[in-house]
Amino acid sequence: MTTRAERGRWDEEGAETIGPGVHRIPLPLPGDGLRAVNVYLLEEDDGVVMIDGGWALPRSRHVLETAMASLGHDLAEITQIFVTHIHRDHYTQAVALRRLLGSRVHLGAGERRGLELLLGEVRSNVPVTSLRVLRRGGAGDLADRLLKIQSYTGFDETDWEAPDNWIGAGVADLGRRALRVIPTPGHTRGHVVYLDEAAGLLFAGDHVLPHITPSIGFELADPGLPLADYLDSLRLVTGYPDARLLPAHGPVTGSVHARVAELLLHHDNRFAHTLRTLGTRTLDAYAVARQLTWTRRDIPFAGLDDFNQMLAINETAAHLDVLVARGRVTAVLDGGVTRYTRVDDAAP
């Protein structure tokens, strides 16, 4: 009998048992290309521990409640929620469940500044940091279009609250099992993964995904050099024993180390393609991104919608900025736009 994952239906509603006392539940996302977000339930002596919360939607809560009932559990048994990062599809339902149940919510300490900005001066669903990267990358018109669209989406401040506990590197003792908390900045500054070393399971959030590479530095706080952080974080997890990959999006797969090797190779190839695209010219990130292809299907830039064009330009800028840090490319800010030139000896 084939599993849902083997049929390519990892997002099918319901609970999938991964191992003793560990269950995966995909929760729906609203019109999102990611299809669903996985949350994981860990059975403990004093209740159920949840990894990631999902998006605070009535449909999502209903799917969660129904799946838990199929396992013989009730929402009220959720005692703690360990969140991998602050993005809405991971964090907001954790806040809602805490309000309903009194569960304790844990979030990486590196997310504090982003949450402070969201609840302070920003108070908007607009990805302002990404729009700044677009403008710096020469795509001001695209930034204007996205700002106009995003400004109409309502911001509900009740979706966002501080966690009960800001967590850093260490070990969380749950009772039956222990989770090693490993900070993995890159996707966001405060992203963490949770490693169950005894069971050989890595709850990877968006850090290591089985079929795609995550967006980099998609947050409000200044990400610095998010791609450099991300690559370092990928190498970091290979310093721990290999484990099964339990991702936030996609099916459970067999080896974290194998997938990390693929992701590192992907970015090495992307650096090479970026250098070849620059050639002997001086270009901004928008111009480079338009000449690259995107996703595993090699879609031309023009075939992406506005939101995914934003992600593509942001990723291109991230690669170019790392190449600058490595001395392979130079950068000059000209009229608010960064223009890149390959160093003569930077062979692709």
Side-chain angles (χ1 to χ4, degrees):
M1 180 177 176
T2 59
T3 66
R4 286 182 290 166
E6 290 168 336
R7 297 196 304 269
R9 294 295 304 276
W10 69 269
D11 59 330
E12 185 176 303
E13 293 179 4
E16 177 186 13
T17 297
I18 305 302
V22 181
H23 311 280
R24 181 184 71 88
I25 301 176
L27 300 180
L29 298 176
D32 194 288
L34 291 173
R35 296 162 57 182
V37 59
N38 293 324
V39 301
Y40 296 90
L41 303 184
L42 311 179
E43 296 173 342
E44 291 294 326
D45 292 334
D46 60 351
V48 173
V49 173
M50 193 170 175
I51 307 291
D52 278 330
W55 192 313
L57 301 165
R59 177 64 183 164
S60 177
R61 186 182 299 181
H62 172 75
V63 171
L64 174 63
E65 191 166 14
T66 300
M68 289 188 69
S70 74
L71 297 169
H73 292 296
D74 182 83
L75 279 181
E77 296 178 62
I78 300 173
T79 58
Q80 299 188 76
I81 307 172
F82 287 82
V83 183
T84 58
H85 62 293
I86 201 173
H87 284 165
R88 183 160 47 175
D89 57 330
H90 295 254
Y91 189 62
T92 55
Q93 189 159 254
V95 171
L97 290 172
R98 177 176 64 182
R99 196 173 294 133
L100 177 70
L101 308 170
S103 313
R104 286 181 58 80
V105 174
H106 310 269
L107 183 65
E111 303 290 38
R112 185 191 292 265
R113 179 55 181 157
L115 186 59
E116 289 173 347
L117 287 169
L118 185 65
L119 293 175
E121 60 194 75
V122 176
R123 305 181 69 80
S124 169
N125 294 324
V126 175
V128 292
T129 303
S130 295
L131 296 187
R132 284 199 296 271
V133 174
L134 285 187
R135 298 188 193 284
R136 179 173 68 84
D141 289 346
L142 176 59
D144 290 341
R145 289 201 305 274
L146 287 166
L147 179 61
K148 184 176 181 180
I149 294 168
Q150 292 288 331
S151 294
Y152 288 110
T153 63
F155 174 72
D156 186 352
E157 66 180 280
T158 64
D159 283 341
W160 305 94
E161 294 176 354
D164 297 284
N165 185 27
W166 294 105
I167 54 176
V171 176
D173 186 355
L174 306 183
R176 295 185 189 178
R177 71 184 69 236
L179 295 180
R180 180 172 295 279
V181 182
I182 305 171
T184 50
H187 182 55
T188 66
R189 293 190 72 168
H191 194 291
V192 298
V193 300
Y194 301 102
L195 175 63
D196 182 340
E197 294 176 272
L201 304 174
L202 182 75
F203 301 92
D206 283 3
H207 181 52
V208 183
L209 298 173
H211 295 148
I212 59 175
T213 183
S215 58
I216 301 300
F218 193 60
E219 59 183 322
L220 292 177
D222 179 8
L225 275 179
L227 181 56
D229 291 340
Y230 178 66
L231 297 175
D232 286 344
S233 296
L234 285 177
R235 298 183 187 100
L236 175 67
V237 297
T238 64
Y240 294 92
D242 200 5
R244 294 177 71 191
L245 172 59
L246 278 60
H249 308 284
V252 173
T253 59
S255 169
V256 171
H257 288 188
R259 181 55 181 155
V260 166
E262 292 173 351
L263 289 167
L264 289 171
L265 178 61
H266 162 79
H267 285 287
D268 283 344
N269 290 335
R270 208 61 174 174
F271 285 126
H273 293 162
T274 300
L275 283 169
R276 280 198 294 269
T277 299
L278 270 179
T280 59
R281 298 170 294 176
T282 295
L283 300 174
D284 56 40
Y286 183 28
V288 175
R290 284 186 312 221
Q291 297 177 62
L292 298 171
T293 57
W294 298 93
T295 80
R296 292 179 299 156
R297 299 188 298 277
D298 289 328
I299 297 173
F301 181 86
L304 303 175
D305 61 26
D306 282 353
F307 183 79
N308 282 292
Q309 285 189 359
M310 176 186 72
L311 295 181
I313 295 166
N314 275 245
E315 180 176 323
T316 302
H319 281 88
L320 287 164
D321 289 341
V322 170
L323 287 169
V324 171
R326 292 178 177 178
R328 310 295 299 282
V329 169
T330 61
V332 175
L333 189 64
D334 177 16
V337 175
T338 302
R339 306 188 193 280
Y340 301 90
T341 306
R342 198 176 82 187
V343 174
D344 286 344
D345 64 350

